[in-house]
């Protein structure tokens, strides 16, 4: 492990702020422990409010230069970062697993997602298209163009400690923005490792060095500085709904823009005609994968009454075969929860399920035999009603609610009857069910799938959700537009000065 940390430039004690070079920080010392066995990985000295100001000011200076570099040349820098990530994929993927606890194949998959994002952003750097419109005035041309925005903020959550940064950073980078990253203070080492990888690329290119900046600290210190900084025009924030509300309120005070990627309460509908084997695989990965710690994790299964018992039995059987333990071991399917606080949330939810009338049919236990660390839990299945308060909220743990439905109308009604709106899916071979679910009568989520699960989105689409999930979109499609400012231009190439809407304003 020491060798791996060294290869990624992680020291025993690390500075917590970067703006082209590492600043000597002296904020609160963070001890980063692995959720696998509670072992100490390294320490980080958090950034202080003063460090943040230095970083922001450097990011702003760099913006003035970076925005003048043509977008395809900016893309070239991202291309090189993508190559460097390929070189470091194994090490970085393993560090994701060590620091956050997801199984190794998912840790590696997360780095692959960064590489895919880099490739996507390189192509995008030759596009960033604006439209040309027809002017109502003779001899006029009207079009729109997209300009870089400024030094923006990126707040990321612990569960995708590096991929979420790349969704934002590579797109913002080709758009001409510089950025300040505030990662979760549970996962600062992967952020330091990524910054070291980026630093190598910056060093060998003639570009400003403070494009991809970093400040490590808690939400209440560095986070609050970032969201209250009137000079930061946009903050992309990934995390809980509660955090998103706070970010939105702070930004609205200075008309800052927000991209909010918040909690989900994702459901799979399984209709009477569904291929149950397919549905089973999707629900298992969706609910148990990443130990239920994905924003797109499956939290609810809305099962048609005719297949309810059969599906519940099959699911229980599948849950029994899930291997739980060290996520670095390739035979393991489920690693630990990220922290003791997460285990507490899991236990509190179990109590509430019972209090509110639910029935736990599998799991519901913390696995003490995995001490030290006691962060391993049994994935849990409970029979519940959609309107239980506990079902209405996101518990960031592997707890799945089975809910009975009678028909497609009730399925859609219950599906949408939660405050969040991120990811959704239906399993059916009935074209009318599928089309209804995808129509405006159907799922109210940002992501809606047929015959695949809620979890594991591809980067080519715009990712994000509605309602309390925050409304933001990141990654593919035209999500890049949020990182730029749109300018409408009208040019008069004639000899008259006609006004729009036929308005006359002549002196004679
Ligand atoms: P969290 O809300 O505890 O923290 C997320 C980030 O916000 C951290 O970096 C934290 O330090 C920061 N933060 C907290 N308070 C802040 C404040 N006042 N000002 C500025 N920053 C602040 O979330 P978490 O436990 O790290 O992650 C789990 C949550 O993230 C879940 O709700 C999950 O659904 C959500 N999530 C959403 C998406 C998505 O794309 N929709 C993706 C991943 C995770």
């Amino acid at each position: 492990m020491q060798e791996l940390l060294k290869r990624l430039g992680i020291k025993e004690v690390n500075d917590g702020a970067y703006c082209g070079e590492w600043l000597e920080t002296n904020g609160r010392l963070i001890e980063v422990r692995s959720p696998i066995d509670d072992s100490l990985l390294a320490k980080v000295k958090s950034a202080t409010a003063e460090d943040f100001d230095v970083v922001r000011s450097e990011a702003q200076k760099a913006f003035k230069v970076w925005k003048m570099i043509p977008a395809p040349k900016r893309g070239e820098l991202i291309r090189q970062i993508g190559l460097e990530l390929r070189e470091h994929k194994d090490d970085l993927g393993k560090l994701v697993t060590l620091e956050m606890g997801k199984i190794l194949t998912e840790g590696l998959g997360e780095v692959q997602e960064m590489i895919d994002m880099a490739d996507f952003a390189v192509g995008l750097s030759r596009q960033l298209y604006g439209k040309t419109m027809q002017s109502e005035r003779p001899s006029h041309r009207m079009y729109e163009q997209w300009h870089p925005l400024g030094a923006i903020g990126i707040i990321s959550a612990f569960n995708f400690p590096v991929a979420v940064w790349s969704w934002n950073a590579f797109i913002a980078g080709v758009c001409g923005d510089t950025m300040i990253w505030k990662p979760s203070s549970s996962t600062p080492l992967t952020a330091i490792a990524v910054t070291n990888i980026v630093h190598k690329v910056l060093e060998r290119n003639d570009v400003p060095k403070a494009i991809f900046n970093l400040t490590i600290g808690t939400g209440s210190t560095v986070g609050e500085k970032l969201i209250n900084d009137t000079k930061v025009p946009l903050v992309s924030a990934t995390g809980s709904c509660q955090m998103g509300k706070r970010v939105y309120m702070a930004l609205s005070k200075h008309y800052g823009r927000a991209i909010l990627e918040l909690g989900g309460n994702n459901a799979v509908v399984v209709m009477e005609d569904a291929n149950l084997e397919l549905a089973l695989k999707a629900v298992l990965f969706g609910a148990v994968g990443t130990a239920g710690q994905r924003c797109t994790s499956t939290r609810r299964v809305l099962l048609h009454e005719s297949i309810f018992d059969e599906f519940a039995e099959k699911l229980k059987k599948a849950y029994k075969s899930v291997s739980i333990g060290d996520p670095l071991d390739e035979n393991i399917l489920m690693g630990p929860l990220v922290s003791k606080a997460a285990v507490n949330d899991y236990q509190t939810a179990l109590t509430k399920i019972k209090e509110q009338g639910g029935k736990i049919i599998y799991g519901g236990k913390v696995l003490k035999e995995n001490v030290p660390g006691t962060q391993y839990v049994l994935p849990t299945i409970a029979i519940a009603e959609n309107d239980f308060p506990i079902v209405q909220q996101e518990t960031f743990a592997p707890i799945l609610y089975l809910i009975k439905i009678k028909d497609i109308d009730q399925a859609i009604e219950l599906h949408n009857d939660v405050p969040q709106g991120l990811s959704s899916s239906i399993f059916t071979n009935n074209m009318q069910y599928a089309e209804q679910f995808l129509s405006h009568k159907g799922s109210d989520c940002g992501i809606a799938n047929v015959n695949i699960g809620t979890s594991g989105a591809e980067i080519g689409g715009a990712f994000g959700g509605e309602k309390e999930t925050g409304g933001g979109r990141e990654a593919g499609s035209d999500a890049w537009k949020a990182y730029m400012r749109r300018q409408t231009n009208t040019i008069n190439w004639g000899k008259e000065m006609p006004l729009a809407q036929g308005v006359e304003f002549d002196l004679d």
Side-chain angles (χ1 to χ4, degrees), residues 267-287 298 300-304 307 311 314-315 318-319 400 402 425-429 450-454:
V268 171
V269 176
V270 186
M271 296 305 292
E272 70 277 9
D273 67 311
N275 178 332
L276 292 192
E277 295 311 314
L278 280 191
L280 195 73
K281 279 189 182 172
V283 169
L284 187 68
F285 174 65
T298 307
R300 299 175 293 143
V301 187
L302 302 167
L303 282 168
H304 191 269
I307 45 117
F311 194 86
K314 281 180 193 261
L315 199 59
Y319 266 55
L400 183 68
L402 304 187
S425 93
I426 188 166
F427 280 79
T428 182
N429 287 317
V450 176
N451 292 337
I452 64 162
T454 59

Side-chain angles (χ1 to χ4, degrees), residues 3 27 50 114 165 186 197 276 301 304 390 412 465:
E3 280 305 305
E50 293 71 38
M114 301 175 83
W165 171 80
S186 311
I197 290 169
L276 292 192
V301 187
H304 191 269
I390 189 65
I412 291 172

Side-chain angles (χ1 to χ4, degrees), residues 155-160 164 167 182-185 217-220 222-224 227 238-241 243-244 246-247 260-264 294-296 299 394 396 422 463-465 469 474:
I155 296 174
S156 58
F158 81 86
N159 66 329
F160 276 90
V164 163
W167 294 358
K182 197 218 86 60
S184 162
S185 32
T218 59
S220 54
V222 177
E224 285 289 331
I227 61 180
T238 300
S240 56
C241 298
M243 177 280 292
R246 170 75 205 122
V247 170
L260 297 177
E261 299 285 347
L262 312 174
R294 284 190 185 213
C295 52
T296 52
R299 311 258 171 234
E394 178 197 50
F396 220 53
L422 181 53
F463 182 91
T469 303
E474 282 174 352

